[in-house]
PDB file of all heavy atoms in Angstrom:
ATOM      1  N   ILE D1161      90.770 102.697 126.111  1.00  0.00           N
ATOM      2  CA  ILE D1161      91.221 103.984 125.562  1.00  0.00           C
ATOM      3  C   ILE D1161      92.595 103.828 124.909  1.00  0.00           C
ATOM      4  O   ILE D1161      92.827 104.318 123.797  1.00  0.00           O
ATOM      5  CB  ILE D1161      91.232 105.072 126.657  1.00  0.00           C
ATOM      6  CG1 ILE D1161      89.792 105.417 127.062  1.00  0.00           C
ATOM      7  CG2 ILE D1161      91.984 106.323 126.195  1.00  0.00           C
ATOM      8  CD1 ILE D1161      89.679 106.313 128.287  1.00  0.00           C
ATOM      9  N   LEU D1162      93.518 103.118 125.567  1.00  0.00           N
ATOM     10  CA  LEU D1162      94.847 102.889 125.001  1.00  0.00           C
ATOM     11  C   LEU D1162      94.777 102.064 123.711  1.00  0.00           C
ATOM     12  O   LEU D1162      95.460 102.379 122.736  1.00  0.00           O
ATOM     13  CB  LEU D1162      95.758 102.209 126.022  1.00  0.00           C
ATOM     14  CG  LEU D1162      96.249 103.099 127.165  1.00  0.00           C
ATOM     15  CD1 LEU D1162      97.007 102.268 128.201  1.00  0.00           C
ATOM     16  CD2 LEU D1162      97.127 104.213 126.626  1.00  0.00           C
ATOM     17  N   GLU D1163      93.962 101.020 123.711  1.00  0.00           N
ATOM     18  CA  GLU D1163      93.822 100.188 122.512  1.00  0.00           C
ATOM     19  C   GLU D1163      93.257 100.994 121.345  1.00  0.00           C
ATOM     20  O   GLU D1163      93.734 100.883 120.215  1.00  0.00           O
ATOM     21  CB  GLU D1163      92.944  98.972 122.806  1.00  0.00           C
ATOM     22  CG  GLU D1163      93.631  97.931 123.656  1.00  0.00           C
ATOM     23  CD  GLU D1163      92.722  96.764 124.022  1.00  0.00           C
ATOM     24  OE1 GLU D1163      91.531  96.764 123.654  1.00  0.00           O
ATOM     25  OE2 GLU D1163      93.220  95.839 124.687  1.00  0.00           O
ATOM     26  N   ILE D1164      92.271 101.818 121.594  1.00  0.00           N
ATOM     27  CA  ILE D1164      91.684 102.651 120.543  1.00  0.00           C
ATOM     28  C   ILE D1164      92.718 103.647 120.023  1.00  0.00           C
ATOM     29  O   ILE D1164      92.844 103.852 118.808  1.00  0.00           O
ATOM     30  CB  ILE D1164      90.410 103.363 121.051  1.00  0.00           C
ATOM     31  CG1 ILE D1164      89.290 102.331 121.257  1.00  0.00           C
ATOM     32  CG2 ILE D1164      89.961 104.466 120.092  1.00  0.00           C
ATOM     33  CD1 ILE D1164      88.073 102.861 121.982  1.00  0.00           C
ATOM     34  N   ALA D1165      93.492 104.248 120.923  1.00  0.00           N
ATOM     35  CA  ALA D1165      94.531 105.208 120.509  1.00  0.00           C
ATOM     36  C   ALA D1165      95.580 104.520 119.630  1.00  0.00           C
ATOM     37  O   ALA D1165      95.995 105.074 118.602  1.00  0.00           O
ATOM     38  CB  ALA D1165      95.183 105.837 121.729  1.00  0.00           C
ATOM     39  N   ILE D1166      95.991 103.318 120.002  1.00  0.00           N
ATOM     40  CA  ILE D1166      96.983 102.573 119.213  1.00  0.00           C
ATOM     41  C   ILE D1166      96.430 102.243 117.835  1.00  0.00           C
ATOM     42  O   ILE D1166      97.114 102.419 116.823  1.00  0.00           O
ATOM     43  CB  ILE D1166      97.438 101.296 119.965  1.00  0.00           C
ATOM     44  CG1 ILE D1166      98.281 101.699 121.185  1.00  0.00           C
ATOM     45  CG2 ILE D1166      98.221 100.359 119.047  1.00  0.00           C
ATOM     46  CD1 ILE D1166      98.566 100.565 122.147  1.00  0.00           C
ATOM     47  N   VAL D1167      95.191 101.797 117.752  1.00  0.00           N
ATOM     48  CA  VAL D1167      94.567 101.476 116.461  1.00  0.00           C
ATOM     49  C   VAL D1167      94.485 102.727 115.584  1.00  0.00           C
ATOM     50  O   VAL D1167      94.765 102.678 114.382  1.00  0.00           O
ATOM     51  CB  VAL D1167      93.169 100.841 116.659  1.00  0.00           C
ATOM     52  CG1 VAL D1167      92.397 100.798 115.363  1.00  0.00           C
ATOM     53  CG2 VAL D1167      93.310  99.443 117.248  1.00  0.00           C
ATOM     54  N   LEU D1168      94.130 103.863 116.172  1.00  0.00           N
ATOM     55  CA  LEU D1168      94.050 105.112 115.398  1.00  0.00           C
ATOM     56  C   LEU D1168      95.417 105.523 114.867  1.00  0.00           C
ATOM     57  O   LEU D1168      95.536 105.966 113.720  1.00  0.00           O
ATOM     58  CB  LEU D1168      93.436 106.231 116.247  1.00  0.00           C
ATOM     59  CG  LEU D1168      91.939 106.097 116.540  1.00  0.00           C
ATOM     60  CD1 LEU D1168      91.483 107.187 117.500  1.00  0.00           C
ATOM     61  CD2 LEU D1168      91.130 106.130 115.250  1.00  0.00           C
ATOM     62  N   VAL D1169      96.461 105.378 115.673  1.00  0.00           N
ATOM     63  CA  VAL D1169      97.815 105.719 115.218  1.00  0.00           C
ATOM     64  C   VAL D1169      98.240 104.795 114.075  1.00  0.00           C
ATOM     65  O   VAL D1169      98.762 105.240 113.050  1.00  0.00           O
ATOM     66  CB  VAL D1169      98.829 105.656 116.388  1.00  0.00           C
ATOM     67  CG1 VAL D1169     100.260 105.698 115.890  1.00  0.00           C
ATOM     68  CG2 VAL D1169      98.566 106.795 117.360  1.00  0.00           C
ATOM     69  N   ILE D1170      97.988 103.499 114.233  1.00  0.00           N
ATOM     70  CA  ILE D1170      98.336 102.541 113.177  1.00  0.00           C
ATOM     71  C   ILE D1170      97.550 102.858 111.901  1.00  0.00           C
ATOM     72  O   ILE D1170      98.111 102.857 110.800  1.00  0.00           O
ATOM     73  CB  ILE D1170      98.096 101.090 113.642  1.00  0.00           C
ATOM     74  CG1 ILE D1170      99.123 100.718 114.713  1.00  0.00           C
ATOM     75  CG2 ILE D1170      98.158 100.115 112.473  1.00  0.00           C
ATOM     76  CD1 ILE D1170      98.845  99.404 115.418  1.00  0.00           C
ATOM     77  N   ALA D1171      96.272 103.153 112.026  1.00  0.00           N
ATOM     78  CA  ALA D1171      95.454 103.495 110.855  1.00  0.00           C
ATOM     79  C   ALA D1171      95.980 104.747 110.167  1.00  0.00           C
ATOM     80  O   ALA D1171      96.077 104.799 108.937  1.00  0.00           O
ATOM     81  CB  ALA D1171      93.998 103.684 111.273  1.00  0.00           C
ATOM     82  N   PHE D1172      96.340 105.768 110.950  1.00  0.00           N
ATOM     83  CA  PHE D1172      96.878 107.001 110.363  1.00  0.00           C
ATOM     84  C   PHE D1172      98.163 106.716 109.590  1.00  0.00           C
ATOM     85  O   PHE D1172      98.326 107.153 108.454  1.00  0.00           O
ATOM     86  CB  PHE D1172      97.136 108.055 111.443  1.00  0.00           C
ATOM     87  CG  PHE D1172      97.854 109.260 110.923  1.00  0.00           C
ATOM     88  CD1 PHE D1172      97.175 110.231 110.204  1.00  0.00           C
ATOM     89  CD2 PHE D1172      99.218 109.412 111.119  1.00  0.00           C
ATOM     90  CE1 PHE D1172      97.837 111.326 109.699  1.00  0.00           C
ATOM     91  CE2 PHE D1172      99.891 110.507 110.631  1.00  0.00           C
ATOM     92  CZ  PHE D1172      99.198 111.471 109.912  1.00  0.00           C
ATOM     93  N   VAL D1173      99.083 105.971 110.196  1.00  0.00           N
ATOM     94  CA  VAL D1173     100.351 105.647 109.541  1.00  0.00           C
ATOM     95  C   VAL D1173     100.092 104.846 108.270  1.00  0.00           C
ATOM     96  O   VAL D1173     100.681 105.119 107.219  1.00  0.00           O
ATOM     97  CB  VAL D1173     101.289 104.883 110.505  1.00  0.00           C
ATOM     98  CG1 VAL D1173     102.489 104.301 109.778  1.00  0.00           C
ATOM     99  CG2 VAL D1173     101.736 105.805 111.632  1.00  0.00           C
ATOM    100  N   PHE D1174      99.206 103.870 108.343  1.00  0.00           N
ATOM    101  CA  PHE D1174      98.900 103.045 107.174  1.00  0.00           C
ATOM    102  C   PHE D1174      98.327 103.903 106.047  1.00  0.00           C
ATOM    103  O   PHE D1174      98.771 103.814 104.915  1.00  0.00           O
ATOM    104  CB  PHE D1174      97.921 101.923 107.542  1.00  0.00           C
ATOM    105  CG  PHE D1174      97.618 101.020 106.380  1.00  0.00           C
ATOM    106  CD1 PHE D1174      98.505 100.030 106.025  1.00  0.00           C
ATOM    107  CD2 PHE D1174      96.452 101.175 105.652  1.00  0.00           C
ATOM    108  CE1 PHE D1174      98.244  99.200 104.949  1.00  0.00           C
ATOM    109  CE2 PHE D1174      96.184 100.349 104.574  1.00  0.00           C
ATOM    110  CZ  PHE D1174      97.081  99.362 104.225  1.00  0.00           C
ATOM    111  N   VAL D1175      97.350 104.732 106.352  1.00  0.00           N
ATOM    112  CA  VAL D1175      96.718 105.561 105.320  1.00  0.00           C
ATOM    113  C   VAL D1175      97.709 106.580 104.766  1.00  0.00           C
ATOM    114  O   VAL D1175      97.783 106.792 103.564  1.00  0.00           O
ATOM    115  CB  VAL D1175      95.457 106.262 105.868  1.00  0.00           C
ATOM    116  CG1 VAL D1175      94.964 107.334 104.918  1.00  0.00           C
ATOM    117  CG2 VAL D1175      94.366 105.237 106.116  1.00  0.00           C
ATOM    118  N   TYR D1176      98.500 107.189 105.623  1.00  0.00           N
ATOM    119  CA  TYR D1176      99.425 108.217 105.145  1.00  0.00           C
ATOM    120  C   TYR D1176     100.527 107.631 104.274  1.00  0.00           C
ATOM    121  O   TYR D1176     100.866 108.177 103.235  1.00  0.00           O
ATOM    122  CB  TYR D1176     100.042 108.981 106.315  1.00  0.00           C
ATOM    123  CG  TYR D1176     100.906 110.112 105.828  1.00  0.00           C
ATOM    124  CD1 TYR D1176     100.333 111.304 105.381  1.00  0.00           C
ATOM    125  CD2 TYR D1176     102.282 109.976 105.774  1.00  0.00           C
ATOM    126  CE1 TYR D1176     101.121 112.330 104.900  1.00  0.00           C
ATOM    127  CE2 TYR D1176     103.077 111.007 105.293  1.00  0.00           C
ATOM    128  CZ  TYR D1176     102.492 112.177 104.858  1.00  0.00           C
ATOM    129  OH  TYR D1176     103.276 113.180 104.376  1.00  0.00           O
ATOM    130  N   TYR D1177     101.111 106.504 104.690  1.00  0.00           N
ATOM    131  CA  TYR D1177     102.244 105.952 103.955  1.00  0.00           C
ATOM    132  C   TYR D1177     101.856 104.918 102.903  1.00  0.00           C
ATOM    133  O   TYR D1177     102.485 104.834 101.863  1.00  0.00           O
ATOM    134  CB  TYR D1177     103.262 105.325 104.915  1.00  0.00           C
ATOM    135  CG  TYR D1177     104.034 106.348 105.674  1.00  0.00           C
ATOM    136  CD1 TYR D1177     103.855 106.522 107.030  1.00  0.00           C
ATOM    137  CD2 TYR D1177     104.943 107.178 105.035  1.00  0.00           C
ATOM    138  CE1 TYR D1177     104.562 107.477 107.736  1.00  0.00           C
ATOM    139  CE2 TYR D1177     105.658 108.138 105.727  1.00  0.00           C
ATOM    140  CZ  TYR D1177     105.458 108.276 107.072  1.00  0.00           C
ATOM    141  OH  TYR D1177     106.158 109.221 107.760  1.00  0.00           O
ATOM    142  N   ILE D1178     100.885 104.115 103.156  1.00  0.00           N
ATOM    143  CA  ILE D1178     100.576 103.004 102.266  1.00  0.00           C
ATOM    144  C   ILE D1178      99.269 103.218 101.507  1.00  0.00           C
ATOM    145  O   ILE D1178      99.182 102.930 100.331  1.00  0.00           O
ATOM    146  CB  ILE D1178     100.479 101.670 103.043  1.00  0.00           C
ATOM    147  CG1 ILE D1178     101.716 101.446 103.897  1.00  0.00           C
ATOM    148  CG2 ILE D1178     100.241 100.514 102.124  1.00  0.00           C
ATOM    149  CD1 ILE D1178     103.008 101.270 103.163  1.00  0.00           C
ATOM    150  N   GLY D1179      98.282 103.744 102.162  1.00  0.00           N
ATOM    151  CA  GLY D1179      96.945 103.769 101.600  1.00  0.00           C
ATOM    152  C   GLY D1179      96.608 104.916 100.691  1.00  0.00           C
ATOM    153  O   GLY D1179      95.450 105.146 100.420  1.00  0.00           O
TER     154      GLY D1179
END
Side-chain angles (χ1 to χ4, degrees):
I1161 291 171
L1162 287 173
E1163 287 176 358
I1164 290 170
I1166 290 169
V1167 167
L1168 289 174
V1169 167
I1170 290 170
F1172 172 78
V1173 169
F1174 182 80
V1175 168
Y1176 185 78
Y1177 287 111
I1178 308 295

